[in-house]
Structure formats: structure tokens, C-alpha cells
Amino acid sequence: MNTAFLKNNFEQIFKQPAADLFFSPGRINIIGEHTDYTGGHVFPCAISLGTYAAYGPRADKKIAVCSGNMNDDLVVFDLDDRELEENPDHKWINYFKGMIAYVQDESQKLDHGFNLYVWGNLPYGAGLSSSASIEMLAGHVLTEEYGLEIDPVKLAQLGQKTENDFIGLSSGIMDQFAVNMSKKDHAILLDCATLKYNYLPLDLGDYEIIIMSTNKKHSLADSAYNDRVQECQEATNRLRQKLALERLGDIDEDTFDEYSYLINDETLLKRARHAVFENQRTIKAAKAMQDKDLDRLGRLINASHVSLDFDYEVTGKELDTLAQSAWKQEGCLCARMIGGGFGGSAIAIVKEDKAEDFKEKVGKIYQEKIGYAASFYEAKIVDGTHKL
Ligand code: GLA
């Protein structure tokens, strides 16, 4: 990104020089889907598609926000305004407002406002965490301008609080953690129960990651996501009749099998089975990555999609078409949906010299089956939210 573009646009709109520039990435997840809110492991990394910002302080207590490509109108609100904007076109600004509210709770009242120009190349609603990208961007702008000392993990937690309490989505910590904490060319193996984490080099040899967007908007705020959270909670409660566990992430496959009779409901059984097995698969996949056993890593990633399809039932025909057609292509190690599901994106790990052919063939099948085009993105694995 040409930083002059950001500076110039900011100066033209707000008639003042920019104080600082930031980049906040999106994320993909290698494996460990729908395991964060059940205290399991996730294995995400940040990508070079994301959100850029330029900002400068104001003397009054207003925040003026303008986006180069998400919404061209200038939106102005007061620092102390906590009202949720119901206008779906302004949705991304709510993530900003949530962060302002919770950062204010954590630290002192913010005594003046700022002007902000935002520009993003992360497709909104494509399951690549555009919301967490904005939340962490907000966190960094606020931390910088007001000289706040907020631990980076705490900042990720305030992002999760924004989703949970401000937006109303019962999501876990994965997205904000990945966006804020990631390290170039590494994936983070994060235990969501303890928030202990390790950076593992994302060493894929002559393979590359291709991001495949269904171009079907997933609406995470839909009740389906929150339903899954509740179903896992109910299954956990039933297991607790005989088993001392806090979360589904606490038990392995064998323990689950022995006690699964306690659940006694087909849907709850499938949801819990996914959460338990996916967590164990994630631990195994991280080990396979460390052992440079790419074939095993690939099989575990495929198994993740199968489990999200049959047990967790969050895929849908668009994501299934992408994954299933990817599996059949020459040079494709593995593919699976990522993020919340019901649309959004999938990833495939493909031999570099087969990537073009892969995109063409999968794109053709998708167009024929679904009736509109999928999009393909290649992205670098980058550091979490930072100053430019
Ligand atoms: C969304 C949520 C995350 C996580 C994933 C599924 O991205 O924001 O917390 O639950 O779905 O793994």
C-alpha cells in the first residue's frame, strides 16, 4: 500500500496532516474451527488483506470517520455516544464505537476526539474477520492517540467484548487474537481456555494458501452462530452429570465416546463431537506442521471440513462446492471452510505451480453449480495490527 495515498486522502478530507498510519490485517484459520468458544485450540494467522487507517486529533469531543471504500459518507458521532447504529450500511462503525466504549471503561475518559480515514482491501462479510480487523485498528488508534497502556491480549479481549456485548454475537477470541497477535510467516497455536499460545512457522514448502470466497455474504449475527454456542453449552451441561469438565475442549475423543450416552440428543451429540474432535485435530495438525508431515496436515484439514459439514452443519452448498471441487484438483493438498460458515470463505493449500490451473477449474465448477462466480485471493502471512 502506498502510504502517500492514505496521507493525501486524509489531508484532503480533514484539512490537517495525519498524525499516524496503521494497518490491521484480516485472518485465515489453518484449522480449529468453532472451537474457540468451547475452550479448544485454534491455529490462525493474519493475512496481507486488511484495513488501513490515517488519523489526526481534534480539539472537540467528536469522532469523524470516513471510509474510502466501505461507505463514502462522513459519519460523525460524540465520544460518549454508546448508541448502536442500526443502519446496516454503517455496520463497521459500530465496531469502532464498541471499542471506544470499552477502552474508555478500561482507562481514563478520552478527553478529545479525532478524525479518521479508513481504506480496506479485505472483502467485507467474506469470513476473513473484517470486523476484528476494524476493532483492533480502533484499539491501536486509541492506544496511540491517548498514550494508553493496554496489554495486546487485553485489547483482543476488548474486541471480543465488542462482538459479544455491543454487537450481540457470542463469538470467541480467535479473530481478535489472530488479528492483533500474529507474526509474519507464522500461525498461532492458541489454547482458548488459558490463552497460552505458540508461534509455529507456517512452512508449506512448495505449496501456497489460496483463499476462496463464496461471495455469499455470511451473516454471523444470524441466530445460527449463537445457536451453536448454546448447543455446545447444553451438551457440556449434560456431560457434567458424570464428568468433571468445564468445557468441551477439556476432553479427548475417548472420554467423549465413553460419556456421550449422557447427551442423548442427536443434534447436541453432533455439535459436541465436532467441538471435541476438532480441538484434538488442531493439536494433531500443529504437531504435523512441526514434523513437516504435510500429508497428515492436509488430511486433518480435510477432516475439519467434513466435520463442519456433517456434524456442525455450518457449511452449505457454496462452501461444500468449493472444498469438494478443490479436493479433486491436481496439486491440491487440502481444503476446508474457515470462519463462522454459512457462506464466507474457504482455504485450499495448493502446489504453487498448479495454482492458476486450480483457480480456473474450481472457479468453473463453482460458477456452473452455484450460478455466480467465486473469488480467489492470494495473501501473504503478516504481522498483527501495527503502525505503518
Ligand atoms: C467466527 C467467530 C470466531 C470463531 C469462528 C469459528 O469467526 O468470530 O470467534 O468462533 O467464527 O471458528
Side-chain angles (χ1 to χ4, degrees), residues 6-72:
L6 280 178
K7 276 189 191 155
N8 292 343
N9 282 3
F10 179 84
E11 279 184 36
Q12 259 179 29
I13 296 165
F14 295 111
K15 316 285 178 237
Q16 71 177 122
D20 261 312
L21 309 178
F22 291 90
F23 172 69
S24 192
R27 67 97 190 86
I28 55 172
N29 186 20
I30 305 297
I31 191 168
E33 215 64 80
H34 285 280
T35 47
D36 55 356
Y37 51 83
T38 49
H41 290 72
V42 293
F43 197 31
C45 47
I47 55 174
S48 50
L49 299 169
T51 321
Y52 294 85
Y55 91 94
R58 288 172 68 114
D60 59 14
K61 290 199 81 181
K62 302 263 181 241
I63 310 270
V65 191
C66 180
S67 148
N69 57 339
M70 285 187 273
N71 180 328
D72 289 324

Side-chain angles (χ1 to χ4, degrees), residues 177-197:
F177 202 98
V179 166
N180 206 32
M181 303 295 292
S182 277
K183 203 163 110 178
K184 186 176 186 294
D185 296 330
H186 288 70
I188 310 177
L189 179 65
L190 169 67
D191 178 346
C192 298
T194 59
L195 295 187
K196 286 201 177 120
Y197 60 99

Side-chain angles (χ1 to χ4, degrees), residues 27 32-37 169 171-175 220 225 339-340:
R27 67 97 190 86
E33 215 64 80
H34 285 280
T35 47
D36 55 356
Y37 51 83
L169 179 75
S171 57
I173 188 73
M174 173 171 76
D175 298 349
L220 265 184
Y225 184 97

Side-chain angles (χ1 to χ4, degrees), residues 234-247:
E234 178 55 26
T236 310
N237 292 341
R238 293 186 186 193
L239 288 170
R240 278 190 193 132
Q241 292 168 62
K242 294 265 169 72
L243 200 58
L245 85 165
E246 246 183 83
R247 325 163 179 90

Side-chain angles (χ1 to χ4, degrees), residues 113-331:
F114 56 83
N115 295 321
L116 181 86
Y117 174 77
V118 171
W119 186 89
N121 57 5
L122 190 61
Y124 182 78
L128 301 173
S129 285
S130 46
S131 57
S133 175
I134 293 166
E135 286 153 5
M136 294 302 95
L137 186 72
H140 281 251
V141 169
L142 296 169
T143 310
E144 179 67 26
E145 176 55 18
Y146 304 102
L148 309 176
E149 280 181 18
I150 304 179
D151 176 79
V153 173
K154 180 74 201 172
L155 206 61
Q157 287 172 317
L158 295 181
Q160 185 191 5
K161 190 171 161 62
T162 296
E163 297 286 346
N164 296 168
D165 299 348
F166 207 83
I167 307 292
L169 179 75
S170 312
S171 57
I173 188 73
M174 173 171 76
D175 298 349
Q176 292 77 15
F177 202 98
V179 166
N180 206 32
M181 303 295 292
S182 277
K183 203 163 110 178
K184 186 176 186 294
D185 296 330
H186 288 70
I188 310 177
L189 179 65
L190 169 67
D191 178 346
C192 298
T194 59
L195 295 187
K196 286 201 177 120
Y197 60 99
N198 277 326
Y199 294 107
L200 301 186
L202 197 53
D203 188 0
L204 299 174
D206 55 357
Y207 285 90
E208 66 178 56
I209 297 175
I210 296 178
I211 300 168
M212 312 184 280
S213 166
T214 59
N215 286 329
K216 179 190 179 193
K217 297 289 174 219
H218 71 152
S219 45
L220 265 184
D222 277 349
S223 53
Y225 184 97
N226 289 347
D227 286 349
R228 296 299 182 282
V229 177
Q230 270 178 8
E231 286 160 356
C232 286
Q233 191 52 54
E234 178 55 26
T236 310
N237 292 341
R238 293 186 186 193
L239 288 170
R240 278 190 193 132
Q241 292 168 62
K242 294 265 169 72
L243 200 58
L245 85 165
E246 246 183 83
R247 325 163 179 90
L248 291 170
D250 294 345
I251 54 173
D252 63 14
E253 300 95 327
D254 286 348
T255 312
F256 178 73
D257 198 35
E258 282 173 33
Y259 289 88
S260 59
Y261 72 97
L262 294 168
I263 295 178
N264 199 25
D265 174 273
E266 193 189 339
T267 302
L268 297 183
L269 185 70
K270 289 199 289 184
R271 305 300 188 246
R273 187 165 55 206
H274 169 78
V276 171
F277 277 66
E278 178 76 354
N279 177 40
Q280 299 300 324
R281 262 193 295 275
T282 305
I283 298 167
K284 289 173 192 164
K287 172 86 173 48
M289 176 95 87
Q290 281 174 305
D291 294 346
K292 301 202 186 314
D293 186 348
L294 288 186
D295 287 336
R296 178 150 208 246
L297 174 71
R299 287 193 299 275
L300 291 162
I301 289 176
N302 289 343
S304 166
H305 186 91
V306 172
S307 178
L308 288 157
D309 177 3
F310 290 100
D311 276 352
Y312 223 60
E313 298 178 288
V314 293
T315 55
K317 69 175 189 303
E318 296 83 3
L319 286 165
D320 287 337
T321 301
L322 286 178
Q324 288 164 9
S325 54
W327 294 338
K328 292 188 190 127
Q329 303 309 315
E330 201 193 332

